């Protein structure tokens, strides 16, 4: 019978560390130990692990020497590496991450800590691979609908292209990331059976594609307000809030000139109008609350706020992922739908992967 457990290599010149590591992990994973980097590299020619735990300080070949070789080969460059170390200074830590290290575990090894770090690393790698697979399939899924929406798609893309020069500098990557955040939330909602009746009535491919228009109304906002390097005063903020209504008007103009499939535009209208509404009714433009806010608007609100928090804007520095997550989770029941926050809280690490993977729009976007 095939053993389908994840394969982990542990490389350390200390016999005690090898024994401790293998004992801590063998009940959950297949574990192979090596007392040197060179021996591991020979085996690597025939079998690649799902995770490599690598001692940083070894004679003959250090952990840094090994990871440089791994990252140089396309066949092994994606293997996640956790370094073992007795001590580390800031310069060594920075160099290690620059070389592609995933994490560090300090010696002497603590079995519970080792198990948790390994579990987290493997989960993140699985989520990253799922995201990569999804992004590769997304274009293919959209193309399956090309025949029915091709004219509309071209109209919208041309419209957006003509607006880009008037938009703020982060538009393209922001649009791509929010699409990916929404895709992650759709998947989480399905896994947790959240709003399944409403979700089943949404064409997710079109809903993802149409999300790129959620901020199209900012075309009507003056640069002095849109790009202001500081907090807006009350009058400026009131004008900024009009981008939701302006966006719906722009989309309506496109809809009036288009034909056939209007569901794409209906989704776009929802995103544009409702992504700044808040669960407790304090949002804009209508002050809707709870489930009076359309589901897509509630979903986009989470994606849009997260991306605004973790990226630099003219008026603020970027927040770290952990702080952004704390702000959003604390907004459950106030700014955000509590059930959707439950979904977000279970997958927020995927949001961080999206952020780090798509700093810029993908080629050809």
């Amino acid at each position: 019978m095939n053993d389908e457990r994840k394969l982990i290599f542990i490389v350390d010149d200390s016999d005690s560390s090898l024994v401790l590591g293998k004992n801590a992990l063998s009940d959950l994973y297949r574990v192979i130990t090596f007392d040197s980097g060179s021996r591991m590299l020979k085996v690597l020619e025939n079998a690649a692990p799902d995770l490599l735990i690598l001692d940083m300080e070894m004679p003959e070949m250090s952990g840094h020497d090994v990871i440089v070789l791994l990252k140089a080969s396309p066949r092994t460059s994606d293997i996640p590496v956790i370094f073992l170390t007795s001590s580390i200074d800031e310069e060594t830590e920075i160099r290690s991450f620059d070389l592609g290290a995933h994490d560090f575990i300090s010696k002497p090894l603590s079995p519970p800590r080792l198990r948790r770090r390994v579990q987290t690393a493997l989960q993140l790698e699985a989520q990253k691979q799922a995201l990569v697979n999804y992004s590769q399939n997304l274009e293919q899924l959209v193309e399956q609908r090309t025949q029915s929406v091709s004219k509309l798609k071209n109209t919208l893309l041309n419209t957006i292209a003509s607006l880009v020069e008037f938009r703020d500098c982060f538009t393209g990557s922001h649009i791509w990331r929010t699409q990916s955040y929404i895709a992650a939330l759709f998947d989480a909602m399905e896994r947790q059976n959240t709003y399944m009746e409403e979700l089943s009535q949404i064409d997710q491919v079109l809903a993802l594609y149409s999300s790129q228009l959620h901020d199209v109304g900012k075309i009507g906002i003056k640069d002095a307000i849109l790009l202001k390097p500081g907090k807006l005063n009350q009058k400026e903020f009131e004008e900024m809030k009009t981008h939701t209504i302006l966006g719906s008007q722009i989309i309506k103009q496109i809809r009036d000139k288009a034909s056939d499939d209007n569901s794409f535009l209906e989704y776009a209208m929802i995103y544009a109008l409702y992504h700044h509404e808040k669960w407790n009714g304090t949002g804009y433009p209508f002050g809707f609350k709870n489930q009076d806010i359309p589901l897509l608007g509630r979903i986009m609100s989470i994606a849009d706020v997260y991306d605004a928090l973790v990226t630099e804007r003219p008026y603020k520095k970027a927040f770290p992922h952990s702080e952004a997550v704390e702000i959003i989770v604390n907004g459950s029941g106030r700014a955000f739908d509590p059930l959707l926050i439950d979904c977000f809280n279970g997958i927020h690490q995927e949001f961080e992967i999206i952020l780090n993977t798509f700093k810029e729009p993908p080629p050809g976007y």
Side-chain angles (χ1 to χ4, degrees), residues 80-98:
V81 176
I82 296 178
F83 274 133
L84 301 178
T85 180
S86 300
S87 61
I88 184 170
D89 55 54
E90 182 178 0
E91 182 180 351
T92 303
E93 181 177 357
I94 291 173
R95 180 167 182 253
S96 299
F97 281 124
D98 286 343

Side-chain angles (χ1 to χ4, degrees), residues 104 127 241 255 270 280:
F104 291 88
Q127 291 167 352
K241 291 196 297 186
R255 184 183 62 186
I270 290 171
N280 64 2

Side-chain angles (χ1 to χ4, degrees), residues 119-245:
Q119 180 185 35
T120 299
L122 290 172
Q123 286 176 342
L124 286 174
E125 191 63 23
Q127 291 167 352
K128 180 180 178 181
Q129 187 57 50
L131 175 63
V132 170
N133 292 339
Y134 181 84
S135 64
Q136 291 174 343
N137 292 335
L138 180 58
E139 185 175 353
Q140 180 179 355
L141 289 172
V142 172
E143 285 301 316
Q144 293 173 0
R145 300 296 301 270
T146 296
Q147 197 167 27
S148 63
V149 299
S150 59
K151 290 183 180 179
L152 181 58
K153 176 179 175 181
N154 289 335
T155 300
L156 289 173
L157 285 177
N158 290 336
T159 301
I160 292 169
S162 67
L163 300 176
V164 166
E165 63 182 297
F166 298 99
R167 297 289 307 280
D168 45 297
C169 60
F170 55 82
T171 297
S173 52
H174 171 70
I175 287 173
W176 175 252
R177 288 193 301 269
T178 51
Q179 280 184 320
S180 299
Y181 300 145
I182 292 170
L185 284 171
F186 280 161
D187 289 344
M189 290 168 67
E190 290 180 345
R191 290 195 298 269
Q192 297 181 210
N193 293 316
T194 301
Y195 294 123
M196 287 305 296
E197 183 176 351
E198 290 181 70
L199 196 61
S200 66
Q201 297 173 15
I202 294 172
D203 185 323
Q204 293 186 27
V205 174
L206 291 183
L208 286 172
Y209 191 74
S210 64
S211 68
Q212 65 186 301
L213 289 178
H214 72 277
D215 266 342
V216 71
K218 286 184 177 178
I219 179 62
I221 305 301
K222 292 181 292 189
D223 285 349
I225 294 176
L226 189 63
L227 304 178
K228 182 179 178 179
K231 186 176 181 180
L232 301 179
N233 60 39
Q234 187 60 38
K235 181 179 179 181
E236 291 169 335
F237 183 56
E238 290 301 320
E239 181 170 343
M240 174 64 82
K241 291 196 297 186
T242 64
H243 81 272
T244 54
I245 301 297

